[in-house]
Amino acid sequence: MQFSNGRRDIDPRRALSANGPADHRGLRTIRVGLVGLMDDVNAARAWIGCLDAFKAARERNARRFRDWPGAEKALGAKFGIEQQFVRIIDKSQFDRLFRERISGDEFEALVELFEGPLIAMFGDVRPDCIVVCIPDALGDLRVQNPELSARERRALEILKREEESAQGDLFAPTEEELAEAEALRTTAEDLLFRTFYRALKAKIHKYDNAVPIQVLRRTTIDRPEDAGHSQATRSWNFATALYYKSGGLPWRPADLPEGVCFIGVSFHHLKKRGGHLVYASVAQAFSSDHEPFCLKGAHIDHEQRRDRQPYLNTSQAFAMMRDILHGYEKRTGVKPKRVVVHKTSMYQPEEEEGFREGAKGIVPACDLVWLRQTPFRLIRKGSEEPWRGTLCQIEGESYLFTSGYVPWWDEFPGAHIPAPMQIGSAGPTDIEARSKEILTLSKMNWNSSDGITRLPVTLLFAKKVGEIMTELSDNVTPNPSFRFHT
């Protein structure tokens, strides 16, 4: 990764402490808004104020969990809270709406109780990011979706059982693998229930002049250090995310080729008007030349599946490719030199034809890469797990370890044998080069300071984007910026 003044490193916390963020141009004051109940806002104000101070890491592995040096040292920034950007939620209204059993109307009213103070700060004079302070019970709140008819609910229950049975397709799945499978797409469960966080996030997408929001749960502030990450690690993660959502760039990829547009394609369940269940396709685009963005694709009939996997027909794949390339040119002023598509299932012939036709005459080269879970495991001789970054090729099949032993941490951050991703392509490509790109893209999560994720950024936020899509009506276009989805 690349940081201030072009310096390179593989560890964000070490590099930020030594060099500062990629866009460092001197000390920057970030204006933070606060919304929440009085007690939560006061706690958040004090905790954010302490981000200026040094905090010692308490975890055992000092190579992985580093001391928090303070916001100015790590990010070249100060987080300022002006009173004009503080909004207090009326506690009597909150208590009247928030109960153990809550109706659909009360849930909607509760979301609107927070929405009003938020949009009041979307004017010409605005904060850079708004922190929504919530008690943990509110963060965990979910209610049955009242908009579903009995018929739709029955259809979703059937779909949910189908999805649960599909988990048995994994070979001895661990909790981490099941969580990863869920992270790639929204499920029937996400339509059956609504959550406060998702509903509030979706509200912001209705406004063209919105400010990104960052949710701060009370446990992040109050949880004892012996019950999870230390205050130093919490400060690293929260401040890095807040810096990015406020328009900053903590780090950028150092080795991605210029002029290449990387696209991640995923599918999500949505309820279309008329009560028919459909899949909605989503494309997430990333390049070293511009801000990441995402676009809503076509609605796909639930029966448009092969091997239980939805797919795009030729015209849908063509339209998605053209929309992404138009979005890239609009943001950069030039056409990309190459396009690489990532997908978590193998390409159907219609998809390959549509993507290649969509790129034809615009982009000289188009690579169609797929990644999927696999029962393949690799055991190394000795005490160390397979290293992250290992590419194993056996009998024409390729397996890439995006998780595994991390040498600069001297640790494998997992409880089970590392599981690789099987990687392949529709059409010839350089698998080793594509694997290096995927590894680089798996370090582009600015919502954390770890600098490591199992999935590339093209697919990392698939579920979060899809969840927001479930809350939006068909006539609302989601904000394309990743800052509104992470």
Side-chain angles (χ1 to χ4, degrees), residues 383-411:
S383 60
E384 292 177 0
E385 297 83 359
W387 282 30
R388 170 182 154 87
T390 299
L391 177 63
C392 182
Q393 295 177 303
I394 301 176
E395 296 181 350
E397 303 291 346
S398 299
Y399 303 91
L400 175 65
F401 285 81
T402 54
S403 63
Y405 176 79
V406 182
W408 59 92
W409 287 349
D410 191 23
E411 177 183 310

Side-chain angles (χ1 to χ4, degrees), residues 60-112:
R60 291 182 180 179
N61 188 345
R63 295 182 66 177
R64 178 182 178 188
F65 300 101
R66 298 179 180 271
D67 296 336
W68 169 247
E72 183 173 346
K73 175 72 173 174
L75 297 167
K78 286 182 174 292
F79 297 105
I81 301 171
E82 301 175 19
Q83 190 57 40
Q84 64 175 323
F85 300 136
V86 176
R87 300 289 189 276
I88 304 299
I89 299 297
D90 185 274
K91 191 173 188 306
S92 62
Q93 292 187 59
F94 179 84
D95 290 340
R96 177 176 58 83
L97 295 169
F98 183 64
R99 298 173 299 178
E100 186 173 340
R101 299 180 68 86
I102 184 172
S103 69
D105 289 342
E106 289 169 329
F107 177 84
E108 193 63 36
L110 189 60
V111 174
E112 291 174 357

Side-chain angles (χ1 to χ4, degrees), residues 1-12 14-16 18-20 22 251-258 440 443:
M1 294 172 286
Q2 190 178 92
F3 297 85
S4 180
N5 295 320
R7 293 184 176 90
R8 297 184 174 205
D9 205 319
I10 53 178
D11 185 333
R14 178 176 65 193
L16 288 171
N19 306 309
W251 58 85
R252 59 169 54 94
D255 297 318
L256 284 183
E258 293 184 1
T440 299
K443 300 176 77 69

Side-chain angles (χ1 to χ4, degrees), residues 46 68 144 154 176 181 191 193 220 226 254 349 412 421 434:
W68 169 247
Q144 286 196 351
R154 282 194 300 272
E176 292 92 336
L191 266 183
F193 296 94
T220 302
D226 58 357
F412 165 52
M421 304 289 288
R434 302 295 80 76

Side-chain angles (χ1 to χ4, degrees), residues 120 178 314 363:
L178 291 177
T314 303
V363 184

